Amino acid sequence: VPERKANYSNFPDRLLDSLKDYLRDSGVHQLYSHQASMFEQAVDGNNVVITTSTASGKTLSFLLPVVQEILNNPMTRAIFVYPTKALASDQYRNIKPLLDYFGKNKIQAGVYDGDTPVILTNPEMLNTAFLPNHNNYGFNFILSNLKYVVIDELHTYRGTFGSHFSNLLQ
């Protein structure tokens, strides 16, 4: 496949200055056009599906609007669903620098309680832990303040697994 040149966009005007600072400190001075577009769509409250090549910045695409909302409204909660525990763990390692940049007083991820703004999990944990125990362990707080559900690797949810996951989301 022939190489395609990247299309860049300036940081969206509505992106918080603190997020722009984080990106610049991380060596990112522009977003890919699909990242900027997804940010704008998500901030406008639209449902968004992003399909791009591996290592094209999808994680940052969905992470920016979520983090911005949590920084603006600390009560906001998000759940990121990955098809496997290994992928959830890998993604947590990838977003950890962003979490560390803002500090635990601003945003947390990975802890399994109502104080955690971002939860990385898989469908089985949603089915066995969240839904049957929604009155326990702070899950009511999480679910009542849930603004974002990010489903990564959407193409893997097919067949019986996909049917199960569809019912879970409903």
Side-chain angles (χ1 to χ4, degrees):
V1 176
E3 176 185 1
R4 287 185 5 202
K5 293 212 182 252
N7 292 320
Y8 294 99
S9 293
N10 292 326
F11 294 136
D13 292 338
R14 295 188 287 174
L15 186 65
L16 290 174
D17 288 339
S18 57
L19 280 169
K20 291 176 188 175
D21 293 341
Y22 164 76
L23 291 168
R24 286 187 195 106
D25 289 351
S26 301
V28 176
H29 299 284
Q30 287 183 305
L31 295 178
Y32 292 120
S33 58
H34 64 274
Q35 292 171 322
S37 176
M38 182 164 174
F39 176 83
E40 294 291 353
Q41 292 292 318
V43 168
D44 286 342
N46 296 318
N47 295 323
V48 183
V49 173
I50 183 166
T51 56
T52 62
S53 303
T54 300
S56 62
K58 288 185 290 291
T59 299
L60 189 60
S61 298
F62 63 72
L63 197 56
L64 287 176
V66 171
V67 170
Q68 175 153 310
E69 183 64 29
I70 292 169
L71 292 173
N72 284 334
N73 178 5
M75 301 295 280
T76 298
R77 296 296 179 260
I79 295 176
F80 295 0
V81 182
Y82 299 93
T84 65
K85 284 181 14 177
L87 186 54
S89 295
D90 185 53
Q91 287 298 315
Y92 177 76
R93 282 190 298 276
N94 289 336
I95 67 172
K96 187 138 177 28
L98 177 76
L99 302 173
D100 292 343
Y101 182 87
F102 287 101
K104 272 191 161 184
N105 292 333
K106 292 278 185 182
I107 187 166
Q108 293 182 44
V111 181
Y112 212 55
D113 63 34
D115 294 333
T116 306
V118 178
I119 295 172
L120 291 80
T121 191
N122 58 57
E124 284 72 22
M125 289 306 295
L126 287 175
N127 188 44
T128 60
F130 276 75
L131 295 181
N133 297 301
H134 68 278
N135 290 328
N136 303 322
Y137 313 116
F139 295 148
N140 272 350
F141 180 78
I142 293 168
L143 296 174
S144 65
N145 290 287
L146 186 63
K147 180 157 184 181
Y148 291 98
V149 176
V150 175
I151 303 168
D152 199 14
E153 300 294 328
L154 188 62
H155 64 280
T156 65
Y157 300 98
R158 56 179 137 185
T160 303
F161 183 47
S163 296
H164 164 73
F165 189 57
S166 175
N167 288 326
L168 188 62
L169 289 177
Q170 290 174 15

